[in-house]
């Protein structure tokens, strides 16, 4: 923004006519300075308000994940998965405070890892305020939340604690340093040195940094653990192990959608910023609105595409599939949301739905079991989102959001540089997460810390590890003696410890 | 509002000829002022957009509220079905409203009946509309379809649902909102050149445009489909088919309440507009007042329903209280910005009575509406429109709808009957238009046997027959093998 | 803050005689500056109101969180009852707080004990209070009553609930909030002319005013009612009566967490206040810091509880973790704005220990509190007040409570014992006042046999006996007729 800098030295000679030119110039300039200060204050207040409320929305996604995960697993593991979600937020809060944020954004630093601001030292500064930390923390815990879905229903709680703190405290911060920090080697907002391919990777809100990281970590976890008992029968046929509550799935999906409005538009960090165009009404506030619109359209299109394709493929109008499709669309648009046109978002969502369907088919074929389809959804659609940005980023928007003269989308006539940078980002993220999380899960497995015992898995972790089932729909004493007419009409949840019965399963479909 | 624009020529003339560099000084000073002015413009856009976007997010969260409310209010065997319809309202609504709904509603310049510009967000952002405005209106549009889905729950084919939802969100609702909210609308209170009855209709946040439209569409759907199997027994006595989860109902209600703070106060779409420069009272106060009236109307309606139902049925019933609450909100929506808080209390009280009355009537005429949507949104919505015409306060009307002093206001506040006349016509027109569009649609669907599912499917539940399984699986299939009827979960009694 | 107001006379004198129209030029320039100044004032109102309103909406969402937390923590047979109380807290609270609660709390000018103006929002908006401020305070008031309802859950008559809730929201809570938050309150840190002990009590967002009040009221209610049937067996051993749905507990906890971002950072009520003109550090940073301290205290408390309970009971227990988390939040609430993030970690750690200790104690003295509300909000709230007096940082205290330099601050930060003394007195006074008001109320209700339900009703569950049926109906009634024990929600196609 242009500032109203007024210098008395400049104004005094101009006011040479006045009786007391110096005093007059001082007087006038003091007032302009006061106005300028007030603008600075106002801008800080507006931007912080915007960022804080966006952060709260992103935090609401953690609630969404908890409900989505809870609904998508079987009742006997509900407590387990919800606990992991609560702890993602809690443990993530501490570790991101102590070192995660420093690794990610502590500048000045090298291109690989940050090294300042441990424990929020010297914050607030001119660059970062507390609200920025809070916003980034809400992002960090989302990544760990994604992974927990992939390894649900069969992972020891201790393994969970270990990988979660490693992911939130080290793996994720480093990737976000690369792509988002002003020092990161692949960052499009890099301020010193040359940009990757003169472009930098455009991962605006984190299709790669958040979703792919979480998804690929989940992929390794689920691969190394192997499928849940009963997920594939003896002949290798896949058997759906349905979640216990669609209501919770829908609740979680809507909450995630709600939170995504903090995730994508919020990633601008500031809203009070003029683009200095001839149109006074057009500025960062419009770009923020456009981002919310692209996000919405991508999700909507993906949801509808999934609905009809599943109807054709399976014959059902399936609500949980639609929810997953919707989330796939949102995960895909996350990377390019700020730099594409609304019509492109529709393309993005349409393809994302098919990517998800394709990966799910593939997973079934390879006997890969992911209770929440997290690797397929966040990994697969996230990767598509990065490619999509490389194809459809619009010149004008890239220049407004990043800097003028940047390469833009291949299909929009911007050449292949951006696309190349995006591909590099995908490869590097896959490589880095594989090189860190793969061995971690492997070591945990060797130490027998990864997977629960067969008995525990059959009985459900809630009973064996968490002190009881999540639901008690009627009393111990309640059965006592309600009058016959008052029999409670509801599901009878069943019993204590079901003896494992040879792992045989029933068809639930 | 007044802005510090500065003309260098004027100022130079004042400095006069015998100054060293009058032009230079004047240009310098004016440059500064113009920079300040531009920055104010930027700041205003940023503040207003922040306000509007977060309001839009809140309104979107109402869709979640509807989903949970509907899910809890139907029987377990139809939960997946109703939730899917709610997800699709939002998803399909997003596409249709983007492609043409917004254009029909707000595309300008246009005639009084339907908009005809801005298809697929063409030439947006403009000085009139920004993206955030579209998002906000989309969130409104999907709410209307959500209302209707409640009325026809538990017995409608999914295909019929897709068709009516697209038609309602893409055509019926946009046209009605064009009439009452667009600057070109024939009955809009912002159509300053050509105010209907010299007044225009004050339906601030849509008791009529959103709630009545959704409710009346639901009314036709439910009437044409007929009641659910088992809702009225052989002797014609009403049998309550209770929803499967009161927790979800309460969750949904609170989420709707939460979202209503985006719906009503958000409808100002701008917050940085002073009514009097430099004064503490401005649009920000009006926004706050709107939030307060909204709260009080809902609270009063809830309490009235609580005690009313206690007297009528002998129970303290939470789902009825929730419906009463929502009835109060639906009623205050039209007048929320132009009435005093004490009037909101009256609005809520009457709304609860209207809802109770409509429910009694529905039972008498054997009308079955699983969520009471037609009664609640249609009935209380209509009351809200009347209420506004009675209690709108002169001062607030002129502040909220500026640019035309001396508008008619509430009858009881001494403003004459013009506003009431306009509002009665609004009710009739909405009723007529929705009847003329949605009625035939449902009739045709019925003729084509696309509307209602078969009796077998209805008894078995749509989740099983159409959506691939039940919504809840509270225990494993494994357990079944044991053949032991397990009664409960016995948590190991602590020590 | 410094504002660009301009005096034409001064400027005209400076221009002097050899300007053609010195007066005119000066007036012209000063007009511009004054316009700038009023526009800043407008902008500030708009930004602050936007901030305050959305914070109020977040605080309101805590009521939803309470409803879900309470619902999940009681047995299925009492779910409707507890949810109804939560809905009514909000609804009845809305009316009472509008009519007199707000006046008792903030009506000004008044004495140190109780406010006496602004009944029913009379003369609001004023230069001091706007509607948004009322809305924000209302959302706080209903939170206090929500806390108490947890303590007396599952065994209280609904009428008793209505009475105590009205009394608490309409009188007890407003009076306490007047003492500590109103500019006239005898112990308020903003009562600059007459600071209690030269310091005033720093209870920024209400560890004492909200949480202790709610918790202690619950303590008396639960003590006078006695434990639920079956909570302690014949030999006096404690038996856990587990809540019926951990999902609802987690949902409620996360919603409370979400809402707490309105509760604590929102308590600034303004965000556009620079501490130093034109600098990046201002109230917006303090707001952000408050959100960070809140987060860290909750996170630490949750982790401490997780590992503590693992060691003590051998389980990784999610509901305990949720309670621990909330205990951390309740504790940091008093000091959230005046402590450093590292101190918040200490606060959370101790809060978890306090909660565990209080729970042990409660079990020992056979005190039954279904939601641990007295332990959590009372115990951790009291710790939070002490914590603030120990760790409040000089710089932050002076920034957040301006206008009186040299205030006492935290004992461990070198600020002396005055603040601690004031805070100990706060705890005692709150304890005394709530005991003196709520204790007798519950006793009288008990004497009148209005407090506790009959043993039969308690065993059968209140939903059935008082609220017209159970909260959950997971399968159809038809199915039962067949007499086949159904194991899951598999409705056989009946008839």
């Amino acid at each position: 923004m242009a500032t109203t800098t007024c210098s008395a030295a400049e104004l005094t000679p101009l006011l040479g006519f006045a009786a007391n030119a110096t005093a007059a110039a001082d007087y006038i300039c003091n007032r302009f300075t006061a106005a300028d200060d007030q603008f600075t204050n106002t801008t800080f207040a507006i931007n912080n308000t915007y960022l804080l409320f966006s952060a709260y929305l992103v935090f609401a996604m953690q609630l969404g994940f908890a409900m989505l995960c809870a609904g998508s697993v079987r009742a006997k593991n509900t407590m387990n998965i919800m606990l992991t979600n609560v702890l993602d937020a809690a443990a993530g809060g501490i570790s991101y405070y102590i070192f995660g944020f420093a690794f990610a954004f502590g500048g000045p630093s090298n291109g690989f890892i940050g090294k300042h601001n441990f424990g929020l030292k010297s914050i607030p500064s001119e660059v970062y305020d507390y609200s920025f930390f809070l916003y980034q923390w809400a992002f960090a815990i989302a990544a760990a939340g994604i992974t927990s879905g992939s390894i649900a229903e069969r992972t020891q709680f201790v393994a969970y604690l270990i990988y979660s703190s490693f992911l939130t405290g080290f793996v994720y911060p480093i990737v976000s340093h690369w792509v988002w920090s002003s020092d990161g080697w692949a960052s499009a907002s890099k301020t010193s040195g040359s940009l990757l391919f003169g472009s930098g990777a455009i991962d605006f809100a984190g299709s790669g940094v958040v979703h792919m990281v979480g998804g690929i970590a989940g992929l390794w976890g689920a691969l190394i653990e192997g499928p849940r008992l009963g997920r594939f029968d003896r002949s290798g046929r896949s058997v759906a192990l349905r979640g216990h509550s669609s209501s919770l799935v829908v609740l979680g999906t809507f909450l995630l959608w709600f939170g995504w409005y903090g995730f994508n538009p919020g990633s601008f960090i500031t809203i009070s910023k003029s683009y200095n165009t001839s149109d006074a009404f057009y500025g960062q506030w419009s770009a923020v609105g456009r981002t919310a619109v692209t996000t919405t359209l991508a999700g909507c299109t993906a949801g509808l595409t999934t609905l009809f394709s599943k109807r054709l493929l399976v014959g059902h109008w399936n609500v949980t599939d639609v929810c997953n499709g919707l989330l796939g669309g949102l995960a895909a648009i996350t990377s390019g949301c700020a730099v594409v046109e609304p019509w492109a978002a529709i393309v993005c969502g349409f393809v994302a739905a098919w990517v998800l369907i394709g990966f799910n088919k593939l997973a079934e074929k390879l006997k890969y079991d992911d209770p929440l389809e997290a690797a397929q959804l966040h990994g697969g659609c996230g990767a598509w989102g990065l490619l999509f940005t490389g194809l459809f980023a619009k010149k004008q928007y890239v220049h407004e959001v990043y800097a003028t003269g940047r390469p833009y989308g291949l299909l929009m006539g911007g050449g292949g540089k951006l696309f190349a940078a995006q591909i590099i980002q995908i490869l590097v993220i896959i490589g880095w997460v594989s090189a860190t999380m793969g061995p971690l899960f492997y070591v945990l497995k060797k130490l027998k810390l990864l997977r629960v015992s067969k008995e525990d898995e059959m009985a459900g972790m809630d009973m064996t590890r968490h002190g009881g089932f999540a639901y008690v729909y009627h009393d111990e004493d309640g059965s006592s003696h309600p009058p016959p007419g008052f029999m409670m009409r509801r599901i009878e949840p069943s019993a204590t410890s079901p003896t494992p019965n040879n792992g045989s399963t029933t068809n639930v479909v | 509002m007044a802005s510090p624009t500065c003309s260098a020529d004027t100022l130079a003339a004042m400095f006069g000829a015998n100054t060293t560099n009058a032009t230079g000084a004047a240009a310098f000073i004016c440059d500064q002022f113009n920079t300040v002015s531009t920055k104010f413009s930027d700041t205003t856009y940023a503040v207003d957009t922040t306000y509007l976007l977060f309001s839009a997010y809140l309104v979107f969260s109402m869709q979640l509220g509807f989903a949970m409310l509907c899910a809890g209010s139907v029987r377990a065997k139809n939960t997946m079905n109703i939730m899917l319809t709610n997800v699709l309202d939002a998803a399909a609504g997003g596409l249709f409203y983007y492609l043409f709904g917004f254009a029909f509603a707000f595309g300008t310049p246009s005639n009084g009946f339907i908009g005809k510009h801005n298809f697929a967000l063409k030439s947006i952002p403009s000085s009139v509309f920004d993206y955030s405005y579209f998002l906000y209106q989309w969130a409104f549009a999907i709410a209307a379809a959500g209302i209707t889905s409640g009325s026809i729950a538990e017995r409608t084919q999914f295909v019929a649902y897709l068709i009516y939802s697209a038609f309602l969100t893409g055509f019926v609702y946009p046209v009605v909102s064009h009439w009452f909210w667009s600057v070109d609308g024939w009955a809009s209170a912002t159509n300053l050149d050509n105010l209907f009855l010299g007044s225009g209709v004050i339906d601030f946040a849509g008791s009529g445009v959103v709630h009545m439209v959704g409710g009346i569409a639901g009314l036709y759907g439910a009437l044409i489909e007929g009641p659910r199997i088992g809702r009225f027994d052989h002797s014609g006595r009403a049998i309550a088919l209770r929803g499967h989860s009161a927790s979800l109902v309460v969750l949904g209600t609170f989420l709707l309440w939460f979202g209503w703070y985006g719906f009503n106060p958000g409808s100002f779409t701008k917050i940085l507009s002073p009514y009097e420069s430099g004064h503490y009272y401005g649009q920000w106060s009006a926004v706050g007042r709107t939030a307060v009236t909204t709260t009080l109307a809902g609270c009063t309606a809830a309490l009235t329903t609580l005690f009313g139902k206690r007297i009528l049925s002998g129970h303290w019933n939470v789902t009825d209280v929730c419906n009463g609450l929502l009835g109060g909100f639906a009623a205050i929506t039209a007048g929320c910005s132009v009435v005093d808080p004490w009037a909101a209390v009256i609005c809520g009280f009457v709304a609860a009575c209207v809802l109770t009355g409509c429910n009694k009537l529905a039972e008498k005429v054997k009308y079955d509406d699983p969520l009471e949507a037609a009664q609640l949104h249609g009935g209380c919505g209509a009351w809200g429109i009347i209420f506004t015409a009675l209690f709108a306060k002169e001062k607030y009307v002129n502040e909220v709808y500026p640019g035309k002093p001396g508008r008619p206001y509430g009858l009881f506040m001494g403003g004459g009957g013009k506003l009431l006349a306009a509002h009665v016509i609004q009710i009739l027109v909405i009723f007529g238009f929705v009847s003329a569009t949605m009625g035939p649609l449902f009739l045709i669907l019925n003729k084509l046997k696309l509307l209602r599912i078969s009796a077998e499917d209805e008894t078995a539940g749509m989740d099983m027959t159409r959506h691939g399984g039940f919504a809840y699986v509270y225990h494993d299939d494994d357990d079944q093998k044991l053949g032991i009827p397990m009664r409960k979960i016995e948590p190991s009694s602590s020590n």
Side-chain angles (χ1 to χ4, degrees), chain A residues 48-340:
Chain A
N48 273 286
T49 304
Y50 178 69
L51 186 58
L52 278 172
F53 281 97
S54 296
Y56 305 157
L57 288 186
V58 179
F59 172 74
M61 295 179 78
Q62 198 63 16
L63 169 54
F65 272 121
M67 294 298 111
L68 181 69
C69 288
S72 300
V73 303
R74 288 165 294 176
K76 61 184 179 184
N77 295 318
T78 312
M79 301 260 270
N80 175 263
I81 191 94
M82 288 192 302
L83 183 56
T84 62
N85 275 290
V86 175
L87 286 178
D88 275 336
I94 303 298
S95 58
Y96 207 69
Y97 162 63
I98 297 177
F99 46 81
F101 183 77
F103 288 159
F105 293 98
S109 72
N110 53 53
F112 180 74
I113 189 168
K115 53 185 183 184
H116 289 280
N117 307 117
F118 288 93
L120 287 183
K121 196 163 173 295
S122 38
I123 279 179
S125 70
E126 217 152 329
V127 194
Y128 301 128
D129 204 339
Y130 289 107
S131 47
F132 185 74
F133 164 77
L134 199 80
Y135 189 70
Q136 294 301 338
W137 159 73
F139 266 62
I141 60 178
I146 292 167
T147 308
S148 73
S150 291
I151 59 175
E153 302 208 79
R154 58 198 190 279
T155 308
Q156 288 195 35
F157 192 71
V158 172
Y160 188 84
L161 283 176
I162 295 171
Y163 103 72
S164 169
S165 45
F166 186 61
L167 184 65
T168 319
F170 184 71
V171 179
Y172 167 80
I174 296 227
V175 177
S176 61
H177 182 80
W178 296 347
V179 185
W180 286 344
S181 147
S182 53
D183 302 311
W185 63 266
S187 169
S189 47
K190 197 174 175 187
T191 48
S192 59
S194 58
L195 294 164
L196 178 66
F197 299 134
S199 156
I202 294 185
D203 189 5
F204 185 70
S207 281
V209 176
V210 179
H211 293 280
M212 270 188 71
V213 167
I216 292 169
L219 176 72
W220 285 109
L223 268 183
I224 290 168
E225 293 206 59
R228 288 166 291 174
L229 291 180
R231 178 67 176 85
F232 296 99
D233 69 9
R234 272 172 280 232
S235 57
R237 226 160 27 106
S238 125
V239 175
L241 297 177
R242 297 180 57 223
H244 79 284
S245 172
S246 307
S247 305
L248 290 179
V249 171
V250 172
L251 173 61
T253 305
F254 266 121
L255 282 169
L256 283 167
W257 188 346
F258 179 60
W260 231 293
Y261 287 124
F263 205 88
N264 284 4
S267 286
F268 276 96
I269 309 296
T270 58
I271 190 167
S272 186
K273 182 179 170 194
S274 162
Y275 283 155
N276 294 318
T277 56
S278 52
D279 294 327
F281 59 81
Y282 184 75
Q284 188 124 302
W285 46 89
S286 308
V288 166
R290 189 182 63 235
T291 304
V293 171
T294 54
T295 304
T296 307
L297 289 175
C300 290
T301 314
L304 286 177
T305 311
T306 310
L307 177 79
F308 289 108
S309 46
K310 283 281 170 174
R311 177 76 172 90
L312 294 174
L313 294 173
V314 186
H316 292 307
W317 305 102
N318 193 319
V319 67
T320 48
D321 286 342
V322 169
C323 287
N324 276 330
L326 192 71
L327 295 177
L330 292 172
I333 195 68
T334 296
S335 151
C337 55
V339 294
V340 300

Side-chain angles (χ1 to χ4, degrees), chain A residues 389-390 393-395 398-399 406-410 412-416 418-419:
Chain A
T389 310
K394 187 176 163 175
K395 184 177 179 188
V398 170
H399 292 180
R406 289 286 175 85
Y408 50 98
L410 181 63
M412 311 297 281
L418 179 60
F419 194 64

Side-chain angles (χ1 to χ4, degrees), chain A residues 17, chain B residues 6-19 21-27 30:
Chain A
F17 54 85
Chain B
C6 184
S7 143
D9 287 346
T10 322
L11 192 55
M14 290 177 186
F15 283 148
N18 57 346
T19 52
N21 187 350
T23 327
C30 281

